[in-house]
Amino acid sequence: MNILITGATGYIGSHTLIALCEAGFTPILLDNFCNSKRVILPRLEAQTKQSLKFYEGDILDVQLLKRIFTEQKIDAVIHFAALKAVGESTQKPLEYYQNNVAGCLNLLTIMKTHHVKRFIFSSSATVYGDPASVPIQEHFPRASTSPYGRGKLIIEEILEDLIKAESDWSITLLRYFNPIGAHESGQFGEDPQGIPNNLTPYITQVAIGNLEKVQVFGNDYPTPDGTGIRDYIHVMDLAEGHIAALKICASKAGLHIYNLGTGRGYSVLEVITAFSNAVNQADSTKSGSTKAIPYEIKPRRAGDIAECWADPTRAQKDLNWSAQRNLNQMAQDAWRWQTQNPKGYE
Ligand code: NAD
Ligand code: WQD
């Protein structure tokens, strides 16, 4: 199967591309490099041992999309391309809706014209808003707390309308929890621009000495240690979830919705401890000394919720998929990526 991957050079797209090639799929890549770097391409070719078909451009460029669908035989689309900074989306709502919602509509319209009706969409746990209880199941009510999250929710609703009107589509919504970690080679990982918004890239930047200390956003949540709890999932487990979804769902028409998480939550302090351990383990061969990653308690971050973790039972049952890698492995792999690439892909 030939799979068009939008946002293919981004964090999750690049890891999924590697897993897709290993599983024998043929990828066709599209990205405009608004949040990724061109230098990843030779690395991806070296890792996958193949010459990759890559289109540089924007999902807002309808002529380019027409060209891709005319030039290539595409069997399914995995749609990662999106802007993803929750805070920024509150400052630039129109840019977010334009890029994420209008871009997705362009893609779906071209797909329909070319009779390509298998679609996997990168959704997010953010569509559950502040859940009434955890673990979160797929039927829980949806809510949105930011233009970014509302965009995901709007696209989910558009896809629900589409399947009602045209039942021959196979549409899969994968709701990711908190993807972290890196490819075990140390060659691929998360490469945020500027100061990271998310917890674990911030932690590795502190550990490597680029930032002074981790700011822990609130220790007065109703959780055992007072800090926020999330379901962190290794990016390669997430990547493998896409392969399972492609294999199982793509042949079944209808709307398929899955949480991709581990089913376990960790607090911010537990994550900092796991990363301290990974750093010390990696360094022990060099210095023998141990050190903790420094942090300070700060006020809560606006829009954050106390806890969020998945019930991944449906994906286990239907897709025969479950996350295999634990928090220690996520921390070790993230640290290997950070130390081998102190400036990211540059
Ligand atoms: P990323 O920013 O690393 O990757 C997105 C890629 O899409 C980038 O390479 C960017 O250059 C590209 N892109 C953005 N807009 C584009 C456009 N208009 N045309 C072409 N390319 C464009 O983000 P990621 O972490 O890999 O996220 C991938 C998807 O997963 C996104 O849809 C995101 O909303 C979703 N998601 C991410 C997380 C997370 O924590 N990383 C969690 C839940 C859902
Ligand atoms: C995790 C925990 C913070 C940074 C975001 C998006 C979500 C999804 C995944 C796309 C929270 C705390 C963080 C820091 C901290 N993305 N924290 N200090 O907010 O759970 O999810 O990414 O769909 O939509 O909102 O992830 O990594 O930012 O935060 O204490 O410097 O770490 O308060 O408890 P979040 P995160």
Side-chain angles (χ1 to χ4, degrees):
M1 278 173 87
N2 297 327
I3 316 294
L4 175 65
I5 311 177
T6 72
T9 51
Y11 174 47
I12 303 171
S14 56
H15 289 79
T16 304
L17 163 70
I18 294 169
L20 273 173
C21 291
E22 277 168 12
F25 292 93
T26 305
I28 296 148
L29 292 65
L30 170 63
D31 206 298
N32 66 357
F33 295 122
C34 71
N35 198 35
S36 55
K37 301 208 180 80
R38 200 176 312 259
V39 292
I40 195 177
L41 285 172
R43 288 196 193 194
L44 285 169
E45 292 196 322
Q47 178 68 34
T48 59
K49 300 189 180 65
Q50 55 181 277
S51 158
L52 295 167
K53 281 182 198 155
F54 176 75
Y55 287 87
E56 178 172 352
D58 203 301
I59 51 170
L60 294 173
D61 181 347
V62 174
Q63 293 312 319
L64 172 69
L65 293 182
K66 281 185 184 159
R67 181 156 78 81
I68 296 172
F69 277 79
T70 306
E71 287 177 3
Q72 305 294 335
K73 183 192 160 298
I74 294 168
D75 298 300
V77 176
I78 308 182
H79 179 40
F80 294 105
L83 300 174
K84 65 163 179 177
V86 176
E88 185 185 60
S89 78
T90 63
Q91 307 299 317
K92 299 180 177 176
L94 294 183
E95 283 92 329
Y96 270 68
Y97 289 124
Q98 178 73 13
N99 193 76
N100 296 0
V101 180
C104 184
L105 276 176
N106 284 347
L107 195 57
L108 292 166
T109 307
I110 297 283
M111 287 178 67
K112 179 177 156 73
T113 307
H114 289 262
H115 309 289
V116 179
K117 296 198 166 185
R118 297 182 182 122
F119 189 68
I120 296 185
F121 175 61
S122 294
S123 192
S124 167
T126 195
V127 300
Y128 296 114
D130 191 354
S133 63
V134 278
I136 299 169
Q137 296 181 318
E138 285 86 350
H139 64 80
F140 276 26
R142 287 174 297 182
S144 56
T145 51
S146 68
Y148 166 77
R150 213 149 14 253
K152 292 289 179 197
L153 220 154
I154 291 168
I155 296 169
E156 286 203 357
E157 289 175 340
I158 291 171
L159 292 168
E160 285 165 4
D161 286 341
L162 177 57
I163 207 83
K164 276 185 212 148
E166 299 183 23
S167 57
D168 57 337
W169 281 73
S170 164
I171 295 174
T172 307
L173 312 181
L174 298 179
R175 294 182 181 149
Y176 312 155
F177 280 64
N178 286 59
I180 65 166
H183 190 259
E184 61 178 11
S185 64
Q187 287 294 296
F188 305 92
E190 197 170 2
D191 185 17
Q193 313 297 303
I195 296 180
N197 298 312
N198 296 112
L199 178 64
T200 64
Y202 202 106
I203 291 176
T204 54
Q205 292 269 312
V206 170
I208 208 158
N210 290 343
L211 293 167
E212 194 192 340
K213 44 178 97 153
V214 181
Q215 302 184 350
V216 175
F217 296 142
N219 67 348
D220 57 352
Y221 285 105
T223 61
D225 67 17
T227 67
I229 293 183
R230 297 289 183 275
D231 186 338
Y232 297 94
I233 174 171
H234 195 294
V235 66
M236 285 311 296
D237 277 325
L238 192 70
E240 287 159 12
H242 291 74
I243 312 302
L246 255 184
K247 285 183 177 162
I248 307 277
C249 303
S251 56
K252 285 190 205 150
L255 180 68
H256 316 282
I257 305 177
Y258 296 104
N259 285 340
L260 294 185
T262 65
R264 229 205 115 155
Y266 287 97
S267 74
V268 175
L269 295 183
E270 287 174 317
V271 174
I272 295 175
T273 302
F275 274 73
S276 293
N277 292 340
V279 171
N280 285 319
Q281 205 182 326
D283 284 0
S284 62
T285 41
K286 288 182 220 149
S287 64
S289 65
T290 60
K291 55 181 185 223
I293 293 171
Y295 68 84
E296 60 184 340
I297 306 296
K298 301 294 268 189
R300 292 182 181 192
R301 183 173 63 179
D304 272 353
I305 58 176
E307 17 181 25
C308 172
W309 75 85
D311 179 343
T313 312
R314 188 190 281 180
Q316 274 161 21
K317 272 200 201 141
D318 291 4
L319 305 181
N320 196 22
W321 169 91
S322 60
Q324 300 298 313
R325 299 156 177 92
N326 63 23
L327 183 62
N328 291 335
Q329 190 164 352
M330 299 178 214
Q332 284 162 9
D333 291 342
W335 184 236
R336 187 177 310 107
W337 153 253
Q338 178 72 76
T339 48
Q340 289 185 18
N341 306 270
K343 292 186 177 168
Y345 286 107
E346 282 181 1

